[in-house]
């Protein structure tokens, strides 16, 4: 049996639900189809269970895309303040953790409840536990699921990226784009831990977290890094993973704000061993690892200038070569996706396929760590919601 709706949204994540709410508010008859038995599974696990739902400092510079201008219009029309107003309306208690990142005080489940309550107000129908198998277009779209077909004027693809497949990520959205002749920008895991090319002694530091400034030729992030058994993680590394390319070095300053050369110059007469001296500025385990064996226990005063300069360089400019990322299983997002050249930045509609929209992570727009990805989901969902 074929049922009829104005709009079918595929994927009940942040972007899909938000688009459905907006379209329903305009009086459109909206169906959301979700393959999981539960909606918003990524929202529930996000932000360590507290959902970092936006960032008050969101601006286009916080996003990676082949067209950095594409996100501007949508971000300007639905801002962090707009979403904060909605959160307040639902009496959800929240706080700023750091750097403009807003988290629920209680649970990320509250954001899902907010979206479901708004869907109900907008008379949106949600069908869970149903994968969309195929989409055809003649005069209208025909959306095929295992339990029947739906005819509609507009289809919104909100099926997300490839990261965290265990909570429902599929490549369905990219497949639809290809079928309708839209270009896909190459995808790769992002906001993801990185794996050392050679592991050496650093595995001994697994679990250690230190303040650092991490940079590539493009950008620098100052936050913590976390040593893992195979490489590095922590916020500064997740941020730089959005910009890291295979074969390129990452530079890590382990004493950010301190010039290690000057530090040695002003303490040239110190009688402390090199390791003990460095332990004043960094955890002892790290101080030991960055003190070359032959001079680690020597008093600083007895160490030659060249050796100290080399240590200083390795502290302020530790050049790290990574072999790979930890992959989609550990990545918070996917870089790349449906090319923004194929979409209207005002509405998210495919330029050459009227009635077909792409929103959220499936599009080639990826945010930094810190609430930016949800803000993109709300903003792109809002933009499409006004047009479907
Ligand atoms: C562990 C983790 C923590 C994160 N924390 C944060 C955070 O705190 N703040 C932040 O801003 N971002 C965070 N992110 C990123 C953020 O979750 C995503 O960018 C955002 O959820 C993308 O929303 P979306 O609606 O585009 O896609 P998704 O949320 O991935 O939703 C897509 C939906 O489509 C469904 N689907 C897929 N294929 C089909 C099909 N064929 N038929 C029907 N349904 C289908 C999926 O099951 C899924 O429910 C986190 C990500 C992860 C993995």
């Amino acid at each position: 049996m074929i049922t009829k709706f104005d709009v079918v949204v595929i994927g009940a994540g942040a972007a899909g639900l938000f688009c459905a709410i907006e379209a329903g508010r305009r009086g459109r008859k909206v169906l959301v189809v979700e393959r999981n038995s539960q909606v918003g599974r990524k929202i529930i696990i996000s932000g360590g269970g507290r959902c970092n739902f936006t960032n008050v400092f969101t601006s286009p510079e916080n996003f990676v895309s082949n067209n950095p201008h594409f996100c501007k219009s949508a971000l300007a029309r639905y801002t962090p303040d707009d979403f904060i107003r909605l959160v307040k309306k639902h009496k959800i208690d929240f706080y700023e953790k750091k750097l403009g990142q807003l988290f629920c005080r209680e649970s990320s489940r509250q954001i899902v409840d907010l979206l479901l309550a708004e869907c109900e107000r907008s008379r949106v129908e949600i069908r869970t536990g149903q994968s969309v198998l195929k989409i055809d277009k003649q005069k209208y779209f025909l959306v095929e699921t295992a339990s029947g077909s739906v005819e509609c004027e507009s289809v919104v693809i909100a099926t997300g990226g490839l990261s965290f497949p265990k909570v429902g990520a599929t490549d369905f959205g990219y497949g639809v784009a290809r079928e309708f002749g839209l270009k896909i920008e190459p995808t790769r895991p992002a906001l993801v831990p990185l794996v050392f090319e050679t592991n050496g002694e650093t595995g001994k530091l697994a679990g250690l977290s230190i303040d650092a400034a991490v940079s590539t030729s493009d950008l620098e992030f100052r936050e913590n890094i976390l040593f893992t058994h195979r490489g590095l993680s922590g916020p500064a590394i997740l941020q730089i993973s959005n910009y890291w390319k295979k074969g390129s070095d990452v530079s890590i300053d382990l004493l950010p704000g301190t010039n290690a050369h000057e530090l040695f110059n002003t303490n040239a007469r110190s009688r402390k061993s090199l390791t003990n001296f460095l332990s004043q500025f960094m955890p002892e385990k790290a101080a030991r690892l960055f003190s070359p064996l032959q001079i680690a226990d020597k008093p600083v005063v007895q160490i030659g200038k060249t050796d100290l300069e080399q240590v200083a360089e390795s502290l302020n400019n530790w050049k790290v070569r990574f072999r790979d990322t930890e992959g989609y299983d550990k990545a918070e997002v996917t870089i790349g996706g449906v090319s923004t050249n194929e979409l209207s930045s005002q509405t998210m509609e495919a330029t050459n396929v009227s009635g077909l929209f792409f929103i959220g992570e499936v599009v080639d727009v990826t945010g930094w760590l810190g609430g930016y990805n949800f803000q993109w989901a709300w903003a792109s969902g809002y933009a499409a919601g006004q047009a479907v």
Side-chain angles (χ1 to χ4, degrees):
M1 195 189 74
I2 298 180
T3 47
K4 289 189 180 172
F5 283 83
D6 295 326
V7 182
V8 174
V9 178
I10 305 172
L17 291 173
F18 210 71
C19 174
I21 292 163
E22 287 300 320
R25 194 170 284 161
R26 289 174 43 239
R28 305 291 278 159
K29 190 179 175 214
V30 184
L31 171 69
V32 181
V33 185
E34 166 58 51
R35 71 190 281 267
N36 287 332
S37 56
Q38 213 185 0
V39 306
R41 284 195 65 190
K42 253 189 203 166
I43 302 174
I44 289 171
I45 60 165
S46 70
R50 292 217 158 81
C51 187
N52 177 191
F53 56 80
T54 193
N55 191 300
V56 294
F57 302 127
T58 302
S59 84
E61 288 74 48
N62 307 120
F63 295 84
V64 181
S65 169
N66 282 281
N67 175 1
H69 303 293
F70 180 82
C71 60
K72 287 181 178 171
S73 165
L75 291 175
R77 279 181 298 140
Y78 194 83
T79 66
D81 276 344
D82 292 321
F83 196 75
I84 293 166
R85 248 191 305 280
L86 189 60
V87 169
K88 284 183 177 163
K89 176 181 143 195
H90 284 260
K91 301 195 173 9
I92 297 172
D93 198 9
F94 62 92
Y95 68 104
E96 179 178 338
K97 192 172 174 188
K98 58 176 178 176
L99 308 168
Q101 303 168 5
L102 302 190
F103 284 74
C104 298
R105 204 170 278 287
E106 220 170 275
S107 157
S108 47
R109 178 81 234 173
Q110 294 172 292
I111 299 294
V112 174
D113 290 344
L114 172 162
L115 295 168
L116 287 175
E118 292 292 332
C119 277
E120 207 176 316
R121 276 168 63 102
S122 294
R123 298 176 195 283
V124 171
E125 183 175 332
I126 301 175
R127 294 184 192 160
T128 54
Q130 292 193 19
S131 280
V132 171
L133 307 171
K134 204 164 161 261
I135 301 172
D136 278 328
K137 186 178 187 200
Q138 281 157 12
K139 188 173 175 217
Y140 296 110
F141 287 96
L142 198 64
V143 178
E144 219 178 272
T145 73
S147 64
S149 295
V150 185
E151 195 179 80
C152 57
E153 283 172 27
S154 301
V155 172
V156 183
I157 310 295
T159 46
L162 299 168
S163 46
F164 259 63
K166 65 182 168 202
V167 292
T170 70
D171 62 359
F172 180 81
Y174 308 128
V176 173
R178 273 190 210 101
E179 258 170 55
F180 282 92
L182 276 61
K183 194 181 151 214
I184 309 286
E185 299 295 349
T187 53
R188 63 186 161 88
L191 297 184
V192 62
L194 299 172
V195 181
F196 289 133
E197 191 165 82
T198 46
N199 208 346
E201 299 285 290
T202 36
K204 286 183 186 162
L205 301 189
L208 186 73
S209 170
I210 47 180
D211 179 26
V214 180
S215 54
T216 61
S217 50
D218 298 318
L219 267 182
E220 178 180 285
F221 291 96
R222 166 127 188 221
E223 280 194 74
N224 276 19
I225 60 169
L226 171 71
F227 286 83
T228 68
H229 288 286
R230 288 153 44 91
L232 293 175
S233 183
I237 294 295
L238 299 188
Q239 298 285 29
I240 215 72
S241 72
N242 279 9
Y243 296 89
W244 173 75
K245 294 189 183 75
K246 271 190 190 176
S248 65
D249 283 342
V250 170
S251 166
I252 302 183
D253 183 350
L254 295 160
L255 294 176
T258 303
N259 182 321
H261 294 272
E262 279 174 16
L263 193 67
F264 283 132
N265 281 342
T266 46
N267 293 279
R269 305 186 66 78
S270 171
R271 306 211 149 268
K272 285 193 161 97
S273 73
L274 178 62
T275 308
N276 284 348
F277 177 75
L278 291 178
S279 299
Q280 300 172 105
F281 309 100
M282 63 201 309
E284 198 258 338
K285 268 185 176 177
R288 184 151 292 283
L289 193 82
F290 285 89
S291 301
L293 249 174
Q294 68 280 12
I295 53 171
D297 296 320
K298 261 194 181 177
V300 172
V301 66
Q302 289 176 20
I303 302 175
K305 202 167 173 228
T306 320
D307 281 343
L308 285 180
E309 271 172 8
Q310 269 175 13
V311 176
E313 181 65 13
S314 73
L315 293 172
N316 279 146
N317 187 17
W318 178 33
K319 293 265 184 233
V320 188
R321 176 81 30 130
F322 294 104
R323 172 161 50 85
D324 210 341
T325 73
E326 289 280 6
Y328 286 114
D329 284 353
K330 301 245 172 87
E332 288 199 9
V333 289
T334 303
I335 278 199
V338 177
S339 170
T340 55
N341 293 335
E342 308 278 7
L343 308 176
S344 152
S345 63
Q346 305 289 311
T347 63
M348 307 292 137
E349 186 175 13
T351 331
N352 293 325
V353 190
S354 93
L356 180 63
F357 296 74
F358 291 83
I359 56 171
E361 203 181 310
V362 74
V363 178
D364 172 32
V365 173
T366 308
W368 291 2
L369 184 77
Y372 304 100
N373 284 295
F374 280 134
Q375 188 57 38
W376 170 246
W378 317 134
S380 59
Y382 179 88
Q386 310 308 313
V388 286

